[in-house]
Amino acid sequence: GQSLEQPSEVTAVEGAIVQINCTYQTSGFYGLSWYQQHDGGAPTFLSYNGLDGLEETGRFSSFLSRSDSYGYLLLQELQMKDSASYFCAVHRAPNTGGFKTIFGAGTRLFVKA
Amino acid sequence: DAGVIQSPRHEVTEMGQEVTLRCKPISGHNSLFWYRQTMMRGLELLIYFNNNVPIDDSGMPEDRFSAKMPNASFSTLKIQPSEPRDSAVYFCASSFGQGSDTQYFGPGTRLTVL
């Protein structure tokens, strides 16, 4: 079967570092993406990992370990505007053909002053 | 670029009525996705097109839902007849490729079925 798990909520203080984990179980896996969504807004792309290791984009980094079926999003120097929901998304190529993107349930990040 | 355009932004209708949601993808993108988002079920992929051809419609909940992409710059998602449980935010997204390419989401259509 397929599963995608991430924590439902995380709270951190401004200026801190927070890590949002994502574990997955799926066939045909080939990559993991992260999206950010503010209340009332649309999801926006943050990062993608196709290979094991760390990808860094400014204050945000994302990590993937294919052997552990695990990834995380790291947010540094937290700002109030980072309060949002963060989704991990698994990309897979089913045996039936085509491609499929499956989004996790999302992690709601609260940044406190 | 204007980004992905969706209309209407809000739709309130009564149970049994037909609802049509519209999407214009980013020019040059050849994949288009329709998602539904609710508190209970999260963000679900309903269907996606590549080069105007439906590739995977396994997420379409039932026969009441249908989607078309008559050309590279326009797609519709139709619900007929609509039911209260269809109330959700419907997002359209487009990407250059159909795999792991970044998906650019439109602002969404908030549908309320009374």
mmCIF file of all heavy atoms in Angstrom, chain A residues 60-93:
data_model
loop_
_atom_site.group_PDB
_atom_site.id
_atom_site.type_symbol
_atom_site.label_atom_id
_atom_site.label_comp_id
_atom_site.label_asym_id
_atom_site.label_seq_id
_atom_site.Cartn_x
_atom_site.Cartn_y
_atom_site.Cartn_z
ATOM 1 N N PHE A 60 15.623 27.782 3.621
ATOM 2 C CA PHE A 60 14.994 26.460 3.595
ATOM 3 C C PHE A 60 15.943 25.419 3.025
ATOM 4 O O PHE A 60 16.644 25.670 2.044
ATOM 5 C CB PHE A 60 13.717 26.503 2.757
ATOM 6 C CG PHE A 60 12.605 27.372 3.298
ATOM 7 C CD1 PHE A 60 11.421 27.513 2.600
ATOM 8 C CD2 PHE A 60 12.753 28.024 4.507
ATOM 9 C CE1 PHE A 60 10.395 28.304 3.096
ATOM 10 C CE2 PHE A 60 11.734 28.823 5.011
ATOM 11 C CZ PHE A 60 10.546 28.958 4.296
ATOM 12 N N SER A 61 15.939 24.239 3.640
ATOM 13 C CA SER A 61 16.699 23.107 3.128
ATOM 14 C C SER A 61 15.791 21.891 3.153
ATOM 15 O O SER A 61 14.895 21.799 3.986
ATOM 16 C CB SER A 61 17.930 22.831 4.000
ATOM 17 O OG SER A 61 18.757 23.959 4.099
ATOM 18 N N SER A 62 16.055 20.969 2.253
ATOM 19 C CA SER A 62 15.286 19.730 2.260
ATOM 20 C C SER A 62 16.245 18.563 2.094
ATOM 21 O O SER A 62 17.249 18.661 1.395
ATOM 22 C CB SER A 62 14.220 19.726 1.164
ATOM 23 O OG SER A 62 14.809 19.879 -0.109
ATOM 24 N N PHE A 63 15.897 17.480 2.745
ATOM 25 C CA PHE A 63 16.771 16.299 2.786
ATOM 26 C C PHE A 63 15.976 15.068 2.385
ATOM 27 O O PHE A 63 14.776 14.964 2.674
ATOM 28 C CB PHE A 63 17.320 16.119 4.202
ATOM 29 C CG PHE A 63 18.083 14.840 4.402
ATOM 30 C CD1 PHE A 63 19.415 14.757 4.045
ATOM 31 C CD2 PHE A 63 17.472 13.712 4.952
ATOM 32 C CE1 PHE A 63 20.131 13.576 4.221
ATOM 33 C CE2 PHE A 63 18.170 12.527 5.137
ATOM 34 C CZ PHE A 63 19.503 12.463 4.775
ATOM 35 N N LEU A 64 16.646 14.136 1.736
ATOM 36 C CA LEU A 64 16.019 12.875 1.350
ATOM 37 C C LEU A 64 16.963 11.719 1.620
ATOM 38 O O LEU A 64 18.159 11.793 1.306
ATOM 39 C CB LEU A 64 15.642 12.880 -0.134
ATOM 40 C CG LEU A 64 15.080 11.576 -0.700
ATOM 41 C CD1 LEU A 64 13.732 11.239 -0.052
ATOM 42 C CD2 LEU A 64 14.951 11.648 -2.216
ATOM 43 N N SER A 65 16.415 10.642 2.175
ATOM 44 C CA SER A 65 17.111 9.371 2.294
ATOM 45 C C SER A 65 16.209 8.311 1.697
ATOM 46 O O SER A 65 15.203 7.924 2.289
ATOM 47 C CB SER A 65 17.414 9.041 3.762
ATOM 48 O OG SER A 65 17.852 7.691 3.877
ATOM 49 N N ARG A 66 16.554 7.858 0.512
ATOM 50 C CA ARG A 66 15.725 6.855 -0.162
ATOM 51 C C ARG A 66 15.730 5.537 0.591
ATOM 52 O O ARG A 66 14.710 4.862 0.699
ATOM 53 C CB ARG A 66 16.240 6.624 -1.589
ATOM 54 C CG ARG A 66 15.946 7.746 -2.547
ATOM 55 C CD ARG A 66 16.685 7.528 -3.849
ATOM 56 N NE ARG A 66 16.200 8.398 -4.901
ATOM 57 C CZ ARG A 66 15.252 8.067 -5.763
ATOM 58 N NH1 ARG A 66 14.681 6.877 -5.701
ATOM 59 N NH2 ARG A 66 14.873 8.919 -6.694
ATOM 60 N N SER A 67 16.873 5.176 1.159
ATOM 61 C CA SER A 67 16.961 3.887 1.863
ATOM 62 C C SER A 67 16.077 3.871 3.095
ATOM 63 O O SER A 67 15.582 2.816 3.494
ATOM 64 C CB SER A 67 18.411 3.588 2.238
ATOM 65 O OG SER A 67 18.928 4.606 3.077
ATOM 66 N N ASP A 68 15.857 5.024 3.702
ATOM 67 C CA ASP A 68 15.009 5.114 4.889
ATOM 68 C C ASP A 68 13.592 5.564 4.567
ATOM 69 O O ASP A 68 12.765 5.683 5.473
ATOM 70 C CB ASP A 68 15.617 6.089 5.900
ATOM 71 C CG ASP A 68 16.949 5.615 6.441
ATOM 72 O OD1 ASP A 68 17.095 4.395 6.646
ATOM 73 O OD2 ASP A 68 17.853 6.454 6.632
ATOM 74 N N SER A 69 13.320 5.835 3.287
ATOM 75 C CA SER A 69 11.998 6.354 2.872
ATOM 76 C C SER A 69 11.607 7.539 3.736
ATOM 77 O O SER A 69 10.498 7.598 4.300
ATOM 78 C CB SER A 69 10.937 5.241 2.971
ATOM 79 O OG SER A 69 11.253 4.186 2.094
ATOM 80 N N TYR A 70 12.508 8.484 3.807
ATOM 81 C CA TYR A 70 12.375 9.575 4.779
ATOM 82 C C TYR A 70 12.933 10.859 4.200
ATOM 83 O O TYR A 70 13.950 10.850 3.496
ATOM 84 C CB TYR A 70 13.130 9.170 6.049
ATOM 85 C CG TYR A 70 13.452 10.289 7.007
ATOM 86 C CD1 TYR A 70 12.479 10.823 7.835
ATOM 87 C CD2 TYR A 70 14.754 10.779 7.111
ATOM 88 C CE1 TYR A 70 12.780 11.832 8.733
ATOM 89 C CE2 TYR A 70 15.069 11.787 8.002
ATOM 90 C CZ TYR A 70 14.082 12.304 8.819
ATOM 91 O OH TYR A 70 14.387 13.303 9.705
ATOM 92 N N GLY A 71 12.275 11.928 4.513
ATOM 93 C CA GLY A 71 12.786 13.230 4.135
ATOM 94 C C GLY A 71 12.389 14.251 5.172
ATOM 95 O O GLY A 71 11.575 13.988 6.063
ATOM 96 N N TYR A 72 12.999 15.411 5.095
ATOM 97 C CA TYR A 72 12.588 16.495 5.991
ATOM 98 C C TYR A 72 12.812 17.836 5.339
ATOM 99 O O TYR A 72 13.600 17.992 4.409
ATOM 100 C CB TYR A 72 13.292 16.413 7.355
ATOM 101 C CG TYR A 72 14.794 16.643 7.354
ATOM 102 C CD1 TYR A 72 15.353 17.901 7.130
ATOM 103 C CD2 TYR A 72 15.664 15.577 7.623
ATOM 104 C CE1 TYR A 72 16.732 18.100 7.153
ATOM 105 C CE2 TYR A 72 17.044 15.778 7.652
ATOM 106 C CZ TYR A 72 17.566 17.038 7.420
ATOM 107 O OH TYR A 72 18.928 17.232 7.445
ATOM 108 N N LEU A 73 12.071 18.794 5.854
ATOM 109 C CA LEU A 73 12.213 20.198 5.466
ATOM 110 C C LEU A 73 12.752 20.937 6.680
ATOM 111 O O LEU A 73 12.218 20.798 7.778
ATOM 112 C CB LEU A 73 10.872 20.782 5.041
ATOM 113 C CG LEU A 73 10.861 22.254 4.648
ATOM 114 C CD1 LEU A 73 11.601 22.456 3.329
ATOM 115 C CD2 LEU A 73 9.420 22.754 4.522
ATOM 116 N N LEU A 74 13.802 21.688 6.476
ATOM 117 C CA LEU A 74 14.436 22.434 7.562
ATOM 118 C C LEU A 74 14.250 23.924 7.300
ATOM 119 O O LEU A 74 14.629 24.416 6.236
ATOM 120 C CB LEU A 74 15.929 22.092 7.644
ATOM 121 C CG LEU A 74 16.686 22.566 8.872
ATOM 122 C CD1 LEU A 74 16.273 21.723 10.079
ATOM 123 C CD2 LEU A 74 18.188 22.465 8.649
ATOM 124 N N LEU A 75 13.677 24.600 8.250
ATOM 125 C CA LEU A 75 13.482 26.042 8.126
ATOM 126 C C LEU A 75 14.343 26.735 9.171
ATOM 127 O O LEU A 75 14.198 26.482 10.371
ATOM 128 C CB LEU A 75 12.019 26.429 8.338
ATOM 129 C CG LEU A 75 10.998 25.893 7.329
ATOM 130 C CD1 LEU A 75 10.552 24.485 7.693
ATOM 131 C CD2 LEU A 75 9.801 26.815 7.259
ATOM 132 N N GLN A 76 15.214 27.600 8.739
ATOM 133 C CA GLN A 76 16.122 28.308 9.644
ATOM 134 C C GLN A 76 15.707 29.767 9.787
ATOM 135 O O GLN A 76 14.983 30.314 8.944
ATOM 136 C CB GLN A 76 17.559 28.221 9.104
ATOM 137 C CG GLN A 76 18.039 26.790 8.910
ATOM 138 C CD GLN A 76 19.473 26.712 8.414
ATOM 139 O OE1 GLN A 76 20.420 27.006 9.142
ATOM 140 N NE2 GLN A 76 19.646 26.328 7.165
ATOM 141 N N GLU A 77 16.182 30.367 10.870
ATOM 142 C CA GLU A 77 15.902 31.788 11.128
ATOM 143 C C GLU A 77 14.418 32.086 10.916
ATOM 144 O O GLU A 77 14.037 32.959 10.131
ATOM 145 C CB GLU A 77 16.750 32.670 10.206
ATOM 146 C CG GLU A 77 18.250 32.450 10.363
ATOM 147 C CD GLU A 77 19.066 33.218 9.331
ATOM 148 O OE1 GLU A 77 18.521 34.149 8.698
ATOM 149 O OE2 GLU A 77 20.236 32.859 9.140
ATOM 150 N N LEU A 78 13.599 31.333 11.637
ATOM 151 C CA LEU A 78 12.155 31.433 11.448
ATOM 152 C C LEU A 78 11.646 32.866 11.561
ATOM 153 O O LEU A 78 12.077 33.636 12.429
ATOM 154 C CB LEU A 78 11.437 30.556 12.462
ATOM 155 C CG LEU A 78 11.353 29.067 12.159
ATOM 156 C CD1 LEU A 78 10.705 28.329 13.323
ATOM 157 C CD2 LEU A 78 10.608 28.798 10.863
ATOM 158 N N GLN A 79 10.697 33.172 10.683
ATOM 159 C CA GLN A 79 10.038 34.464 10.706
ATOM 160 C C GLN A 79 8.543 34.238 10.856
ATOM 161 O O GLN A 79 8.023 33.166 10.540
ATOM 162 C CB GLN A 79 10.334 35.222 9.402
ATOM 163 C CG GLN A 79 11.822 35.440 9.150
ATOM 164 C CD GLN A 79 12.098 36.080 7.808
ATOM 165 O OE1 GLN A 79 11.193 36.521 7.093
ATOM 166 N NE2 GLN A 79 13.380 36.149 7.445
ATOM 167 N N MET A 80 7.862 35.259 11.332
ATOM 168 C CA MET A 80 6.422 35.139 11.545
ATOM 169 C C MET A 80 5.707 34.739 10.253
ATOM 170 O O MET A 80 4.748 33.973 10.269
ATOM 171 C CB MET A 80 5.848 36.446 12.078
ATOM 172 C CG MET A 80 6.404 36.871 13.430
ATOM 173 S SD MET A 80 5.997 35.697 14.737
ATOM 174 C CE MET A 80 4.252 36.030 14.927
ATOM 175 N N LYS A 81 6.213 35.234 9.137
ATOM 176 C CA LYS A 81 5.566 34.950 7.862
ATOM 177 C C LYS A 81 5.707 33.481 7.435
ATOM 178 O O LYS A 81 5.063 33.043 6.483
ATOM 179 C CB LYS A 81 6.151 35.835 6.759
ATOM 180 C CG LYS A 81 7.610 35.548 6.432
ATOM 181 C CD LYS A 81 8.097 36.424 5.295
ATOM 182 C CE LYS A 81 9.546 36.109 4.939
ATOM 183 N NZ LYS A 81 10.042 36.928 3.796
ATOM 184 N N ASP A 82 6.547 32.727 8.155
ATOM 185 C CA ASP A 82 6.689 31.297 7.846
ATOM 186 C C ASP A 82 5.532 30.477 8.416
ATOM 187 O O ASP A 82 5.422 29.277 8.131
ATOM 188 C CB ASP A 82 8.013 30.762 8.406
ATOM 189 C CG ASP A 82 9.228 31.416 7.763
ATOM 190 O OD1 ASP A 82 9.129 31.818 6.582
ATOM 191 O OD2 ASP A 82 10.268 31.536 8.450
ATOM 192 N N SER A 83 4.688 31.112 9.235
ATOM 193 C CA SER A 83 3.513 30.408 9.750
ATOM 194 C C SER A 83 2.618 30.042 8.578
ATOM 195 O O SER A 83 2.099 30.914 7.866
ATOM 196 C CB SER A 83 2.744 31.294 10.735
ATOM 197 O OG SER A 83 3.501 31.536 11.902
ATOM 198 N N ALA A 84 2.462 28.748 8.365
ATOM 199 C CA ALA A 84 1.750 28.238 7.191
ATOM 200 C C ALA A 84 1.652 26.731 7.325
ATOM 201 O O ALA A 84 2.147 26.148 8.290
ATOM 202 C CB ALA A 84 2.496 28.606 5.906
ATOM 203 N N SER A 85 1.037 26.107 6.347
ATOM 204 C CA SER A 85 1.038 24.649 6.268
ATOM 205 C C SER A 85 2.089 24.214 5.262
ATOM 206 O O SER A 85 2.275 24.867 4.227
ATOM 207 C CB SER A 85 -0.339 24.128 5.836
ATOM 208 O OG SER A 85 -1.297 24.359 6.837
ATOM 209 N N TYR A 86 2.764 23.135 5.586
ATOM 210 C CA TYR A 86 3.830 22.612 4.728
ATOM 211 C C TYR A 86 3.490 21.176 4.341
ATOM 212 O O TYR A 86 3.207 20.343 5.204
ATOM 213 C CB TYR A 86 5.176 22.681 5.446
ATOM 214 C CG TYR A 86 5.620 24.109 5.665
ATOM 215 C CD1 TYR A 86 5.160 24.830 6.760
ATOM 216 C CD2 TYR A 86 6.455 24.742 4.754
ATOM 217 C CE1 TYR A 86 5.524 26.154 6.941
ATOM 218 C CE2 TYR A 86 6.830 26.065 4.932
ATOM 219 C CZ TYR A 86 6.350 26.760 6.028
ATOM 220 O OH TYR A 86 6.707 28.080 6.208
ATOM 221 N N PHE A 87 3.516 20.914 3.051
ATOM 222 C CA PHE A 87 3.139 19.610 2.530
ATOM 223 C C PHE A 87 4.347 18.929 1.903
ATOM 224 O O PHE A 87 5.057 19.547 1.092
ATOM 225 C CB PHE A 87 2.057 19.748 1.458
ATOM 226 C CG PHE A 87 0.756 20.303 1.952
ATOM 227 C CD1 PHE A 87 0.536 21.669 2.007
ATOM 228 C CD2 PHE A 87 -0.257 19.447 2.368
ATOM 229 C CE1 PHE A 87 -0.662 22.181 2.468
ATOM 230 C CE2 PHE A 87 -1.464 19.955 2.826
ATOM 231 C CZ PHE A 87 -1.669 21.315 2.880
ATOM 232 N N CYS A 88 4.562 17.679 2.256
ATOM 233 C CA CYS A 88 5.480 16.892 1.457
ATOM 234 C C CYS A 88 4.655 16.182 0.384
ATOM 235 O O CYS A 88 3.475 15.897 0.577
ATOM 236 C CB CYS A 88 6.271 15.891 2.296
ATOM 237 S SG CYS A 88 5.319 14.657 3.192
ATOM 238 N N ALA A 89 5.277 15.969 -0.746
ATOM 239 C CA ALA A 89 4.584 15.352 -1.876
ATOM 240 C C ALA A 89 5.497 14.315 -2.498
ATOM 241 O O ALA A 89 6.643 14.613 -2.841
ATOM 242 C CB ALA A 89 4.187 16.397 -2.916
ATOM 243 N N VAL A 90 4.971 13.126 -2.615
ATOM 244 C CA VAL A 90 5.724 12.026 -3.197
ATOM 245 C C VAL A 90 5.413 11.936 -4.688
ATOM 246 O O VAL A 90 4.248 11.989 -5.093
ATOM 247 C CB VAL A 90 5.346 10.702 -2.492
ATOM 248 C CG1 VAL A 90 5.770 9.510 -3.325
ATOM 249 C CG2 VAL A 90 5.958 10.640 -1.121
ATOM 250 N N HIS A 91 6.461 11.799 -5.483
ATOM 251 C CA HIS A 91 6.296 11.606 -6.921
ATOM 252 C C HIS A 91 6.596 10.143 -7.237
ATOM 253 O O HIS A 91 7.627 9.621 -6.830
ATOM 254 C CB HIS A 91 7.246 12.503 -7.704
ATOM 255 C CG HIS A 91 7.089 13.945 -7.395
ATOM 256 N ND1 HIS A 91 6.065 14.721 -7.915
ATOM 257 C CD2 HIS A 91 7.801 14.766 -6.586
ATOM 258 C CE1 HIS A 91 6.178 15.945 -7.457
ATOM 259 N NE2 HIS A 91 7.222 16.007 -6.645
ATOM 260 N N ARG A 92 5.667 9.521 -7.948
ATOM 261 C CA ARG A 92 5.865 8.117 -8.275
ATOM 262 C C ARG A 92 5.459 7.844 -9.705
ATOM 263 O O ARG A 92 4.673 8.579 -10.301
ATOM 264 C CB ARG A 92 5.078 7.221 -7.313
ATOM 265 C CG ARG A 92 3.600 7.507 -7.221
ATOM 266 C CD ARG A 92 2.933 6.652 -6.153
ATOM 267 N NE ARG A 92 3.025 5.230 -6.453
ATOM 268 C CZ ARG A 92 2.044 4.517 -6.992
ATOM 269 N NH1 ARG A 92 0.892 5.088 -7.301
ATOM 270 N NH2 ARG A 92 2.194 3.231 -7.226
ATOM 271 N N ALA A 93 6.049 6.782 -10.218
ATOM 272 C CA ALA A 93 5.724 6.340 -11.570
ATOM 273 C C ALA A 93 5.075 4.967 -11.444
ATOM 274 O O ALA A 93 5.776 3.953 -11.307
ATOM 275 C CB ALA A 93 6.986 6.269 -12.418
#
